[in-house]
Amino acid sequence: MKKNPNILLVIPARYDSKRFPGKSLCYLSGKNNIKKTLIERTWLLAKSLKFKCKVIIATDDERIKSHSENFGAKVIMTSSKCKNGSERVSEVVKKLNENFDVIINLQGDALLTPSWFIEETVTKFLVSRYDVTT
């Protein structure tokens, strides 16, 4: 396994969801009734991982961009033509023009994914002979 793998974690987020427009900017109460948006809670999950990684929020919406930058996130704007999160991640990778050992697509509403699950998946992936895992 590579000692210091170059890892990118992208959180795709869109405003114009058909089922729940604006979901990323909805506030949720957490511990001690502290309210944070769905996108901020997902970003905090990504930032809590034990391994070093570049965390980017990918969106085509200025409201999500502005809100995310206010809590300290790095944001890359993507095309409104992206059909899904995977296309947003792909666009970010192309814009960054770097070589990554691992690219993680952490959906913007996946705040309940346990951090240990992401960490273990990445660790096992790095020692595997596979190119992709889901």
mmCIF file with all atom_site columns, all heavy atoms in Angstrom, residues 4-22:
data_model
loop_
_atom_site.group_PDB
_atom_site.id
_atom_site.type_symbol
_atom_site.label_atom_id
_atom_site.label_alt_id
_atom_site.label_comp_id
_atom_site.label_asym_id
_atom_site.label_entity_id
_atom_site.label_seq_id
_atom_site.pdbx_PDB_ins_code
_atom_site.Cartn_x
_atom_site.Cartn_y
_atom_site.Cartn_z
_atom_site.occupancy
_atom_site.B_iso_or_equiv
_atom_site.pdbx_formal_charge
_atom_site.auth_seq_id
_atom_site.auth_comp_id
_atom_site.auth_asym_id
_atom_site.auth_atom_id
_atom_site.pdbx_PDB_model_num
ATOM 1   N N   . ASN A 1 4  ? 1.551   7.479  1.488   1.00 0.00 ? 4  ASN A N   1
ATOM 2   C CA  . ASN A 1 4  ? 0.720   8.684  1.548   1.00 0.00 ? 4  ASN A CA  1
ATOM 3   C C   . ASN A 1 4  ? -0.090  8.817  0.265   1.00 0.00 ? 4  ASN A C   1
ATOM 4   O O   . ASN A 1 4  ? 0.243   9.623  -0.602  1.00 0.00 ? 4  ASN A O   1
ATOM 5   C CB  . ASN A 1 4  ? 1.585   9.933  1.759   1.00 0.00 ? 4  ASN A CB  1
ATOM 6   C CG  . ASN A 1 4  ? 2.228   9.941  3.119   1.00 0.00 ? 4  ASN A CG  1
ATOM 7   O OD1 . ASN A 1 4  ? 1.557   9.746  4.125   1.00 0.00 ? 4  ASN A OD1 1
ATOM 8   N ND2 . ASN A 1 4  ? 3.528   10.160 3.156   1.00 0.00 ? 4  ASN A ND2 1
ATOM 9   N N   . PRO A 1 5  ? -1.153  8.039  0.143   1.00 0.00 ? 5  PRO A N   1
ATOM 10  C CA  . PRO A 1 5  ? -1.938  8.098  -1.093  1.00 0.00 ? 5  PRO A CA  1
ATOM 11  C C   . PRO A 1 5  ? -2.586  9.463  -1.277  1.00 0.00 ? 5  PRO A C   1
ATOM 12  O O   . PRO A 1 5  ? -2.950  10.129 -0.301  1.00 0.00 ? 5  PRO A O   1
ATOM 13  C CB  . PRO A 1 5  ? -2.990  7.003  -0.901  1.00 0.00 ? 5  PRO A CB  1
ATOM 14  C CG  . PRO A 1 5  ? -3.085  6.805  0.574   1.00 0.00 ? 5  PRO A CG  1
ATOM 15  C CD  . PRO A 1 5  ? -1.740  7.133  1.127   1.00 0.00 ? 5  PRO A CD  1
ATOM 16  N N   . ASN A 1 6  ? -2.692  9.884  -2.513  1.00 0.00 ? 6  ASN A N   1
ATOM 17  C CA  . ASN A 1 6  ? -3.350  11.143 -2.861  1.00 0.00 ? 6  ASN A CA  1
ATOM 18  C C   . ASN A 1 6  ? -4.843  10.846 -3.033  1.00 0.00 ? 6  ASN A C   1
ATOM 19  O O   . ASN A 1 6  ? -5.238  10.175 -3.993  1.00 0.00 ? 6  ASN A O   1
ATOM 20  C CB  . ASN A 1 6  ? -2.739  11.727 -4.128  1.00 0.00 ? 6  ASN A CB  1
ATOM 21  C CG  . ASN A 1 6  ? -3.148  13.162 -4.357  1.00 0.00 ? 6  ASN A CG  1
ATOM 22  O OD1 . ASN A 1 6  ? -3.673  13.823 -3.461  1.00 0.00 ? 6  ASN A OD1 1
ATOM 23  N ND2 . ASN A 1 6  ? -2.901  13.650 -5.553  1.00 0.00 ? 6  ASN A ND2 1
ATOM 24  N N   . ILE A 1 7  ? -5.639  11.328 -2.092  1.00 0.00 ? 7  ILE A N   1
ATOM 25  C CA  . ILE A 1 7  ? -7.061  10.991 -2.059  1.00 0.00 ? 7  ILE A CA  1
ATOM 26  C C   . ILE A 1 7  ? -7.907  12.245 -2.267  1.00 0.00 ? 7  ILE A C   1
ATOM 27  O O   . ILE A 1 7  ? -7.682  13.277 -1.630  1.00 0.00 ? 7  ILE A O   1
ATOM 28  C CB  . ILE A 1 7  ? -7.432  10.320 -0.722  1.00 0.00 ? 7  ILE A CB  1
ATOM 29  C CG1 . ILE A 1 7  ? -6.615  9.035  -0.534  1.00 0.00 ? 7  ILE A CG1 1
ATOM 30  C CG2 . ILE A 1 7  ? -8.932  10.023 -0.658  1.00 0.00 ? 7  ILE A CG2 1
ATOM 31  C CD1 . ILE A 1 7  ? -6.778  8.390  0.832   1.00 0.00 ? 7  ILE A CD1 1
ATOM 32  N N   . LEU A 1 8  ? -8.875  12.121 -3.131  1.00 0.00 ? 8  LEU A N   1
ATOM 33  C CA  . LEU A 1 8  ? -9.843  13.188 -3.388  1.00 0.00 ? 8  LEU A CA  1
ATOM 34  C C   . LEU A 1 8  ? -11.221 12.698 -2.946  1.00 0.00 ? 8  LEU A C   1
ATOM 35  O O   . LEU A 1 8  ? -11.642 11.601 -3.315  1.00 0.00 ? 8  LEU A O   1
ATOM 36  C CB  . LEU A 1 8  ? -9.885  13.533 -4.883  1.00 0.00 ? 8  LEU A CB  1
ATOM 37  C CG  . LEU A 1 8  ? -10.987 14.501 -5.323  1.00 0.00 ? 8  LEU A CG  1
ATOM 38  C CD1 . LEU A 1 8  ? -10.777 15.888 -4.720  1.00 0.00 ? 8  LEU A CD1 1
ATOM 39  C CD2 . LEU A 1 8  ? -11.037 14.572 -6.847  1.00 0.00 ? 8  LEU A CD2 1
ATOM 40  N N   . LEU A 1 9  ? -11.902 13.497 -2.164  1.00 0.00 ? 9  LEU A N   1
ATOM 41  C CA  . LEU A 1 9  ? -13.276 13.198 -1.777  1.00 0.00 ? 9  LEU A CA  1
ATOM 42  C C   . LEU A 1 9  ? -14.146 14.332 -2.293  1.00 0.00 ? 9  LEU A C   1
ATOM 43  O O   . LEU A 1 9  ? -13.924 15.495 -1.943  1.00 0.00 ? 9  LEU A O   1
ATOM 44  C CB  . LEU A 1 9  ? -13.411 13.074 -0.255  1.00 0.00 ? 9  LEU A CB  1
ATOM 45  C CG  . LEU A 1 9  ? -14.774 12.609 0.234   1.00 0.00 ? 9  LEU A CG  1
ATOM 46  C CD1 . LEU A 1 9  ? -14.631 11.805 1.515   1.00 0.00 ? 9  LEU A CD1 1
ATOM 47  C CD2 . LEU A 1 9  ? -15.751 13.746 0.435   1.00 0.00 ? 9  LEU A CD2 1
ATOM 48  N N   . VAL A 1 10 ? -15.099 13.997 -3.160  1.00 0.00 ? 10 VAL A N   1
ATOM 49  C CA  . VAL A 1 10 ? -15.988 14.992 -3.751  1.00 0.00 ? 10 VAL A CA  1
ATOM 50  C C   . VAL A 1 10 ? -17.396 14.765 -3.225  1.00 0.00 ? 10 VAL A C   1
ATOM 51  O O   . VAL A 1 10 ? -17.895 13.637 -3.198  1.00 0.00 ? 10 VAL A O   1
ATOM 52  C CB  . VAL A 1 10 ? -15.984 14.914 -5.296  1.00 0.00 ? 10 VAL A CB  1
ATOM 53  C CG1 . VAL A 1 10 ? -16.901 15.976 -5.890  1.00 0.00 ? 10 VAL A CG1 1
ATOM 54  C CG2 . VAL A 1 10 ? -14.571 15.063 -5.843  1.00 0.00 ? 10 VAL A CG2 1
ATOM 55  N N   . ILE A 1 11 ? -18.015 15.860 -2.807  1.00 0.00 ? 11 ILE A N   1
ATOM 56  C CA  . ILE A 1 11 ? -19.404 15.834 -2.339  1.00 0.00 ? 11 ILE A CA  1
ATOM 57  C C   . ILE A 1 11 ? -20.249 16.544 -3.395  1.00 0.00 ? 11 ILE A C   1
ATOM 58  O O   . ILE A 1 11 ? -20.272 17.775 -3.460  1.00 0.00 ? 11 ILE A O   1
ATOM 59  C CB  . ILE A 1 11 ? -19.556 16.542 -0.978  1.00 0.00 ? 11 ILE A CB  1
ATOM 60  C CG1 . ILE A 1 11 ? -18.632 15.918 0.072   1.00 0.00 ? 11 ILE A CG1 1
ATOM 61  C CG2 . ILE A 1 11 ? -21.019 16.511 -0.532  1.00 0.00 ? 11 ILE A CG2 1
ATOM 62  C CD1 . ILE A 1 11 ? -18.529 16.718 1.360   1.00 0.00 ? 11 ILE A CD1 1
ATOM 63  N N   . PRO A 1 12 ? -20.930 15.790 -4.259  1.00 0.00 ? 12 PRO A N   1
ATOM 64  C CA  . PRO A 1 12 ? -21.782 16.437 -5.251  1.00 0.00 ? 12 PRO A CA  1
ATOM 65  C C   . PRO A 1 12 ? -23.078 16.913 -4.595  1.00 0.00 ? 12 PRO A C   1
ATOM 66  O O   . PRO A 1 12 ? -23.669 16.207 -3.781  1.00 0.00 ? 12 PRO A O   1
ATOM 67  C CB  . PRO A 1 12 ? -22.059 15.337 -6.275  1.00 0.00 ? 12 PRO A CB  1
ATOM 68  C CG  . PRO A 1 12 ? -21.746 14.050 -5.596  1.00 0.00 ? 12 PRO A CG  1
ATOM 69  C CD  . PRO A 1 12 ? -20.861 14.346 -4.428  1.00 0.00 ? 12 PRO A CD  1
ATOM 70  N N   . ALA A 1 13 ? -23.466 18.137 -4.924  1.00 0.00 ? 13 ALA A N   1
ATOM 71  C CA  . ALA A 1 13 ? -24.685 18.704 -4.341  1.00 0.00 ? 13 ALA A CA  1
ATOM 72  C C   . ALA A 1 13 ? -25.387 19.565 -5.374  1.00 0.00 ? 13 ALA A C   1
ATOM 73  O O   . ALA A 1 13 ? -24.766 20.422 -5.995  1.00 0.00 ? 13 ALA A O   1
ATOM 74  C CB  . ALA A 1 13 ? -24.327 19.542 -3.114  1.00 0.00 ? 13 ALA A CB  1
ATOM 75  N N   . ARG A 1 14 ? -26.670 19.337 -5.527  1.00 0.00 ? 14 ARG A N   1
ATOM 76  C CA  . ARG A 1 14 ? -27.436 20.174 -6.453  1.00 0.00 ? 14 ARG A CA  1
ATOM 77  C C   . ARG A 1 14 ? -28.646 20.738 -5.730  1.00 0.00 ? 14 ARG A C   1
ATOM 78  O O   . ARG A 1 14 ? -29.128 20.161 -4.754  1.00 0.00 ? 14 ARG A O   1
ATOM 79  C CB  . ARG A 1 14 ? -27.848 19.405 -7.693  1.00 0.00 ? 14 ARG A CB  1
ATOM 80  C CG  . ARG A 1 14 ? -28.763 18.249 -7.424  1.00 0.00 ? 14 ARG A CG  1
ATOM 81  C CD  . ARG A 1 14 ? -29.020 17.449 -8.684  1.00 0.00 ? 14 ARG A CD  1
ATOM 82  N NE  . ARG A 1 14 ? -29.753 16.264 -8.312  1.00 0.00 ? 14 ARG A NE  1
ATOM 83  C CZ  . ARG A 1 14 ? -30.818 15.830 -8.935  1.00 0.00 ? 14 ARG A CZ  1
ATOM 84  N NH1 . ARG A 1 14 ? -31.265 16.472 -9.995  1.00 0.00 ? 14 ARG A NH1 1
ATOM 85  N NH2 . ARG A 1 14 ? -31.431 14.749 -8.541  1.00 0.00 ? 14 ARG A NH2 1
ATOM 86  N N   . TYR A 1 15 ? -29.104 21.832 -6.212  1.00 0.00 ? 15 TYR A N   1
ATOM 87  C CA  . TYR A 1 15 ? -30.269 22.492 -5.616  1.00 0.00 ? 15 TYR A CA  1
ATOM 88  C C   . TYR A 1 15 ? -31.560 21.996 -6.246  1.00 0.00 ? 15 TYR A C   1
ATOM 89  O O   . TYR A 1 15 ? -32.547 21.780 -5.570  1.00 0.00 ? 15 TYR A O   1
ATOM 90  C CB  . TYR A 1 15 ? -30.158 24.010 -5.777  1.00 0.00 ? 15 TYR A CB  1
ATOM 91  C CG  . TYR A 1 15 ? -31.190 24.757 -4.977  1.00 0.00 ? 15 TYR A CG  1
ATOM 92  C CD1 . TYR A 1 15 ? -30.925 25.148 -3.677  1.00 0.00 ? 15 TYR A CD1 1
ATOM 93  C CD2 . TYR A 1 15 ? -32.432 25.047 -5.527  1.00 0.00 ? 15 TYR A CD2 1
ATOM 94  C CE1 . TYR A 1 15 ? -31.871 25.816 -2.933  1.00 0.00 ? 15 TYR A CE1 1
ATOM 95  C CE2 . TYR A 1 15 ? -33.383 25.715 -4.782  1.00 0.00 ? 15 TYR A CE2 1
ATOM 96  C CZ  . TYR A 1 15 ? -33.104 26.096 -3.491  1.00 0.00 ? 15 TYR A CZ  1
ATOM 97  O OH  . TYR A 1 15 ? -34.047 26.746 -2.750  1.00 0.00 ? 15 TYR A OH  1
ATOM 98  N N   . ASP A 1 16 ? -31.531 21.799 -7.553  1.00 0.00 ? 16 ASP A N   1
ATOM 99  C CA  . ASP A 1 16 ? -32.755 21.514 -8.309  1.00 0.00 ? 16 ASP A CA  1
ATOM 100 C C   . ASP A 1 16 ? -33.136 20.044 -8.338  1.00 0.00 ? 16 ASP A C   1
ATOM 101 O O   . ASP A 1 16 ? -33.396 19.481 -9.398  1.00 0.00 ? 16 ASP A O   1
ATOM 102 C CB  . ASP A 1 16 ? -32.631 22.055 -9.733  1.00 0.00 ? 16 ASP A CB  1
ATOM 103 C CG  . ASP A 1 16 ? -32.638 23.563 -9.769  1.00 0.00 ? 16 ASP A CG  1
ATOM 104 O OD1 . ASP A 1 16 ? -33.279 24.169 -8.897  1.00 0.00 ? 16 ASP A OD1 1
ATOM 105 O OD2 . ASP A 1 16 ? -31.992 24.136 -10.665 1.00 0.00 ? 16 ASP A OD2 1
ATOM 106 N N   . SER A 1 17 ? -33.200 19.428 -7.180  1.00 0.00 ? 17 SER A N   1
ATOM 107 C CA  . SER A 1 17 ? -33.671 18.051 -7.092  1.00 0.00 ? 17 SER A CA  1
ATOM 108 C C   . SER A 1 17 ? -35.154 18.001 -7.431  1.00 0.00 ? 17 SER A C   1
ATOM 109 O O   . SER A 1 17 ? -35.909 18.904 -7.048  1.00 0.00 ? 17 SER A O   1
ATOM 110 C CB  . SER A 1 17 ? -33.442 17.534 -5.661  1.00 0.00 ? 17 SER A CB  1
ATOM 111 O OG  . SER A 1 17 ? -34.150 16.349 -5.447  1.00 0.00 ? 17 SER A OG  1
ATOM 112 N N   . LYS A 1 18 ? -35.557 16.984 -8.121  1.00 0.00 ? 18 LYS A N   1
ATOM 113 C CA  . LYS A 1 18 ? -36.978 16.859 -8.478  1.00 0.00 ? 18 LYS A CA  1
ATOM 114 C C   . LYS A 1 18 ? -37.834 16.512 -7.255  1.00 0.00 ? 18 LYS A C   1
ATOM 115 O O   . LYS A 1 18 ? -38.930 16.993 -7.089  1.00 0.00 ? 18 LYS A O   1
ATOM 116 C CB  . LYS A 1 18 ? -37.150 15.801 -9.558  1.00 0.00 ? 18 LYS A CB  1
ATOM 117 C CG  . LYS A 1 18 ? -36.546 16.234 -10.885 1.00 0.00 ? 18 LYS A CG  1
ATOM 118 C CD  . LYS A 1 18 ? -37.055 15.394 -12.016 1.00 0.00 ? 18 LYS A CD  1
ATOM 119 C CE  . LYS A 1 18 ? -36.438 15.656 -13.335 1.00 0.00 ? 18 LYS A CE  1
ATOM 120 N NZ  . LYS A 1 18 ? -35.681 16.823 -13.578 1.00 0.00 ? 18 LYS A NZ  1
ATOM 121 N N   . ARG A 1 19 ? -37.317 15.645 -6.376  1.00 0.00 ? 19 ARG A N   1
ATOM 122 C CA  . ARG A 1 19 ? -38.091 15.210 -5.206  1.00 0.00 ? 19 ARG A CA  1
ATOM 123 C C   . ARG A 1 19 ? -38.043 16.194 -4.049  1.00 0.00 ? 19 ARG A C   1
ATOM 124 O O   . ARG A 1 19 ? -38.988 16.299 -3.285  1.00 0.00 ? 19 ARG A O   1
ATOM 125 C CB  . ARG A 1 19 ? -37.613 13.842 -4.736  1.00 0.00 ? 19 ARG A CB  1
ATOM 126 C CG  . ARG A 1 19 ? -37.992 12.723 -5.696  1.00 0.00 ? 19 ARG A CG  1
ATOM 127 C CD  . ARG A 1 19 ? -37.457 11.418 -5.222  1.00 0.00 ? 19 ARG A CD  1
ATOM 128 N NE  . ARG A 1 19 ? -35.996 11.465 -5.377  1.00 0.00 ? 19 ARG A NE  1
ATOM 129 C CZ  . ARG A 1 19 ? -35.166 10.561 -4.952  1.00 0.00 ? 19 ARG A CZ  1
ATOM 130 N NH1 . ARG A 1 19 ? -35.600 9.517  -4.320  1.00 0.00 ? 19 ARG A NH1 1
ATOM 131 N NH2 . ARG A 1 19 ? -33.880 10.667 -5.154  1.00 0.00 ? 19 ARG A NH2 1
ATOM 132 N N   . PHE A 1 20 ? -36.908 16.920 -3.895  1.00 0.00 ? 20 PHE A N   1
ATOM 133 C CA  . PHE A 1 20 ? -36.747 17.784 -2.731  1.00 0.00 ? 20 PHE A CA  1
ATOM 134 C C   . PHE A 1 20 ? -35.820 18.948 -3.088  1.00 0.00 ? 20 PHE A C   1
ATOM 135 O O   . PHE A 1 20 ? -34.660 18.985 -2.676  1.00 0.00 ? 20 PHE A O   1
ATOM 136 C CB  . PHE A 1 20 ? -36.178 16.980 -1.566  1.00 0.00 ? 20 PHE A CB  1
ATOM 137 C CG  . PHE A 1 20 ? -36.204 17.668 -0.225  1.00 0.00 ? 20 PHE A CG  1
ATOM 138 C CD1 . PHE A 1 20 ? -35.973 16.935 0.916   1.00 0.00 ? 20 PHE A CD1 1
ATOM 139 C CD2 . PHE A 1 20 ? -36.439 19.029 -0.086  1.00 0.00 ? 20 PHE A CD2 1
ATOM 140 C CE1 . PHE A 1 20 ? -35.973 17.534 2.166   1.00 0.00 ? 20 PHE A CE1 1
ATOM 141 C CE2 . PHE A 1 20 ? -36.452 19.647 1.140   1.00 0.00 ? 20 PHE A CE2 1
ATOM 142 C CZ  . PHE A 1 20 ? -36.208 18.900 2.271   1.00 0.00 ? 20 PHE A CZ  1
ATOM 143 N N   . PRO A 1 21 ? -36.333 19.927 -3.848  1.00 0.00 ? 21 PRO A N   1
ATOM 144 C CA  . PRO A 1 21 ? -35.482 21.066 -4.227  1.00 0.00 ? 21 PRO A CA  1
ATOM 145 C C   . PRO A 1 21 ? -34.933 21.778 -2.986  1.00 0.00 ? 21 PRO A C   1
ATOM 146 O O   . PRO A 1 21 ? -35.638 21.984 -2.013  1.00 0.00 ? 21 PRO A O   1
ATOM 147 C CB  . PRO A 1 21 ? -36.442 21.978 -4.994  1.00 0.00 ? 21 PRO A CB  1
ATOM 148 C CG  . PRO A 1 21 ? -37.551 21.076 -5.451  1.00 0.00 ? 21 PRO A CG  1
ATOM 149 C CD  . PRO A 1 21 ? -37.678 20.015 -4.398  1.00 0.00 ? 21 PRO A CD  1
ATOM 150 N N   . GLY A 1 22 ? -33.645 22.107 -3.046  1.00 0.00 ? 22 GLY A N   1
ATOM 151 C CA  . GLY A 1 22 ? -33.007 22.826 -1.951  1.00 0.00 ? 22 GLY A CA  1
ATOM 152 C C   . GLY A 1 22 ? -32.607 21.967 -0.772  1.00 0.00 ? 22 GLY A C   1
ATOM 153 O O   . GLY A 1 22 ? -32.212 22.484 0.277   1.00 0.00 ? 22 GLY A O   1
#
